[in-house]
Amino acid sequence: MQIRKLQTKDASLFKQLRLQALKQVPEAFAASYEEEVRETIDFFESKLSNGEVFYGLFKKDDQLVGIISLSRSKLLKMQHKAAIGSVFIAEEARGQGLGKKLFIYVMEEAQAQGIEQLQLVVAAHNKKAKQLYESIGFQVYGFEKRALKINEKYVDEEYMMKIL
């Protein structure tokens, strides 16, 4: 297993895994499969080069099985914190502790960049994800009822944070 920052050369692998994530767990993302499936490779290249940093977990050099993003504010008063998002582990790679490894890697990267606090949003009903986040020190600090609406069904979200 290798974890590294994704680059524009990884755009086709990123697109494939991201679309898989959006299709399999639509309630875990604000973006939708229907929106992004129509996008060209240029769209995914720009996502990998626009300031939000994506990290990838590779099973082999050409097999991307996990993604996570780290986004730091450009505002001076908010640069002590960053948001984690777009977390996804492919089904065939789940249950092996890889999500935790990916999170620990990103937390270490954040600390090395001087980030003091991490925040994330999780679907309130996603017990496995919340269990993982709590096991590495994230705590709930907020709740949003009906945060997402997918096909006339609402998804509540919890806001979590961790001081590094």
Side-chain angles (χ1 to χ4, degrees):
M1 292 290 159
Q2 177 195 17
I3 300 171
R4 65 172 171 80
K5 181 180 172 182
L6 295 177
Q7 302 168 358
T8 54
K9 68 178 180 147
D10 301 308
S12 62
L13 293 173
F14 173 65
K15 177 181 181 178
Q16 182 181 0
L17 190 60
R18 174 131 173 118
L19 291 176
Q20 180 183 339
L22 293 173
K23 195 169 197 173
Q24 285 182 1
V25 282
E27 68 279 1
F29 300 91
S32 71
Y33 175 83
E34 294 77 17
E35 291 168 312
E36 291 195 11
V37 72
R38 297 179 296 213
E39 297 290 351
T40 66
I41 199 70
D42 293 341
F43 171 83
F44 294 92
E45 286 175 352
S46 72
K47 284 186 83 64
L48 296 177
S49 61
N50 73 359
E52 183 176 15
V53 179
F54 285 86
Y55 295 89
L57 174 67
F58 291 83
K59 197 170 187 179
K60 298 177 184 167
D61 282 344
D62 61 344
Q63 191 176 1
L64 181 63
V65 296
I67 52 175
I68 190 171
S69 71
L70 183 67
S71 180
R72 188 177 197 177
S73 176
K74 293 187 184 336
L75 299 172
L76 185 61
K77 294 177 186 177
M78 295 177 65
Q79 286 189 351
H80 68 290
K81 60 186 179 178
I84 288 181
S86 299
V87 180
F88 182 73
I89 302 292
E91 202 167 334
E92 69 271 12
R94 293 182 191 158
Q96 303 171 40
L98 300 177
K100 190 171 193 171
K101 285 182 184 178
L102 192 54
F103 255 89
I104 289 169
Y105 181 89
V106 170
M107 288 189 301
E108 289 171 354
E109 286 286 309
Q111 274 188 304
Q113 295 173 32
I115 295 169
E116 302 169 19
Q117 179 175 317
L118 293 174
Q119 299 170 314
L120 60 82
V121 180
V122 62
H125 71 273
N126 191 340
K127 289 182 171 56
K128 282 193 172 194
K130 289 187 339 187
Q131 188 176 36
L132 167 62
Y133 305 154
E134 289 169 352
S135 78
I136 53 178
F138 281 82
Q139 298 176 332
V140 174
Y141 72 90
F143 182 87
E144 183 179 359
K145 193 148 188 66
R146 297 169 59 141
L148 301 176
K149 184 177 180 181
I150 306 167
N151 300 325
E152 303 305 314
K153 185 179 177 186
Y154 294 98
V155 178
D156 299 338
E157 291 182 333
E158 290 184 9
Y159 293 77
M160 301 181 83
M161 58 89 60
K162 174 183 173 68
I163 296 175
L164 299 174

